Amino acid sequence: MWGWRAVSVAMLCIALNGAWPALAAEPVGQAVVIKTQVTGQSGPIEVDTRVHRNERIKTSQSGLGQFVFRDGTKLAVGWGSSVVIDKYVFDDSQSVKKLTIRAAKGTFRWVSGNSDSSAYQILTPAGTIGVRGTAFDFYVGPDGTTAIVLLNGAARFCGPGGCRQLQQRCDCVVAKPNGDMSAARRVDPSILATLGNQRALPFLSGNQRLAGGIGMLGGCNMASAAPERKDRARPPPAVAPAPQRQDPPQRQAEPQKERPNKPDKPHHDRPHHDKPHHDKPDRPDKHDGHGRHDDDGKPGNHGLDHRGHERHHDRDRDHDNDRNRDRGHNFNRGR
């Protein structure tokens, strides 16, 4: 009987010890910006939700979360990301003795807080980022390829292939889990092709926008780079067809406007055809037309008729004179 009680007590202690870390997990920061879907160990994370040590934070393919830790450190977690707050040791001077995060995949922006630079450490599949009082973006691809772009201060990346120092703004290093690592050089749009993802480093390219002071950092001439150039190349095909599709109706509308003018052509020719008729009434007023009418003996040959009438009148007068002469002659004979 006592044996069963001992076993029960032992099992209860094991259960309590297993649950105690979860219950005793201390809050290390809180969410200040949440877009679309961001989840933690206890479910969806909302603005002002506290995050705890050892908690895994995940974002959806369009998700974005911005977090502030107790010492003022800021962490932005972009789309499709997964990160764990691995270690967090806080002291009483509003700073941390140790803050380590483990980034499994995705895209991030880091801005150091009030703690010593040596307190911060970021672990990636390709190596470790050492912070030197700094701000930077970093991306972890599905195969573990990691890219770091310095925005302020300095940083150091160390992996199986050695270490690289990032000392100037917009310096970039790309490293792979097998030890391959590029030299530090100024970032440019070609890095997106190198990473095989046009959505990598979205805070620099402008595909995702951050709020507050953390969003004022960035640039490095990436906003007009690959993602936007493709967008700029796409709109012309999208916009150019629109006017071309509208041209056919305009061209069809023009012939319809000309159709009423087509019948005008015969009307326009009719004045040509009617010109002789229009000219005829004008010609009789001229002397040439009057002469032609006189030749025909029509009412217009008034001159000829008048002459004939005078001749006829002269003949009648001669005939009367002859008759008077005959009468005078006969009268003289009778006397």
Side-chain angles (χ1 to χ4, degrees), residues 35 61 66 79 82 162 181 189 234 246 251 255 278 300 312:
K35 295 182 180 179
Q61 289 302 313
Q66 290 182 218
W79 60 270
S82 176
M181 188 183 309
R234 290 175 186 172
Q246 293 176 357
R251 292 176 183 174
H278 180 71
H312 181 71

Side-chain angles (χ1 to χ4, degrees), residues 111-158:
V111 178
S112 297
N114 301 322
S115 303
D116 292 338
S117 298
S118 59
Y120 303 118
Q121 192 176 45
I122 299 171
L123 306 177
T124 74
T128 302
I129 303 174
V131 179
R132 299 292 182 267
T134 185
F136 54 85
D137 282 11
F138 65 101
Y139 167 78
V140 180
D143 62 349
T145 299
T146 301
I148 308 100
V149 179
L150 182 67
L151 302 178
N152 189 20
R156 183 181 183 185
F157 185 85
C158 294

Side-chain angles (χ1 to χ4, degrees), residues 165-197:
Q165 300 288 337
L166 295 90
Q167 297 178 339
Q168 296 183 2
R169 174 175 165 77
C170 299
D171 273 355
C172 175
V173 170
V174 178
K176 293 182 177 294
N178 61 6
D180 291 342
M181 188 183 309
S182 70
R185 66 180 183 86
R186 185 175 178 82
V187 69
D188 60 47
S190 65
I191 189 175
L192 301 176
T194 301
L195 298 175
N197 189 345

Side-chain angles (χ1 to χ4, degrees), residues 258-295:
E258 293 178 357
R259 285 177 184 173
N261 294 334
K262 288 182 179 178
D264 289 341
K265 290 183 179 179
H267 292 292
H268 180 69
D269 295 336
R270 285 176 186 175
H272 258 318
H273 181 70
D274 295 343
K275 278 182 180 179
H277 300 284
H278 180 71
D279 294 337
K280 282 182 180 180
D282 294 335
R283 290 181 182 177
D285 295 338
K286 298 179 181 179
H287 295 288
D288 295 341
H290 183 71
R292 284 198 298 268
H293 284 42
D294 291 343
D295 293 340

Side-chain angles (χ1 to χ4, degrees), residues 34 131 237 266 294 324 331:
I34 298 294
V131 179
D294 291 343
N324 291 334
F331 178 76

Side-chain angles (χ1 to χ4, degrees), residues 32-97:
V32 293
V33 175
I34 298 294
K35 295 182 180 179
T36 62
Q37 185 176 2
V38 181
T39 58
Q41 185 173 347
S42 302
I45 297 177
E46 298 178 354
V47 174
D48 295 333
T49 297
R50 291 184 176 184
V51 292
H52 302 82
R53 181 171 55 87
N54 293 329
E55 184 173 11
R56 180 178 295 276
I57 299 171
K58 294 182 179 181
T59 60
S60 65
Q61 289 302 313
S62 59
L64 171 65
Q66 290 182 218
F67 303 89
V68 176
F69 295 97
R70 293 175 63 180
D71 72 329
T73 297
K74 299 178 178 65
L75 175 67
V77 184
W79 60 270
S81 300
S82 176
V83 62
V84 176
I85 304 169
D86 193 32
K87 295 179 181 179
Y88 191 95
V89 180
F90 190 77
D91 60 19
D92 296 333
S93 60
Q94 298 298 317
S95 63
V96 295
K97 293 180 179 179

Side-chain angles (χ1 to χ4, degrees), residues 247-263:
D247 286 341
Q250 292 178 354
R251 292 176 183 174
Q252 292 176 358
E254 291 176 359
Q256 290 176 358
K257 291 179 180 180
E258 293 178 357
R259 285 177 184 173
N261 294 334
K262 288 182 179 178

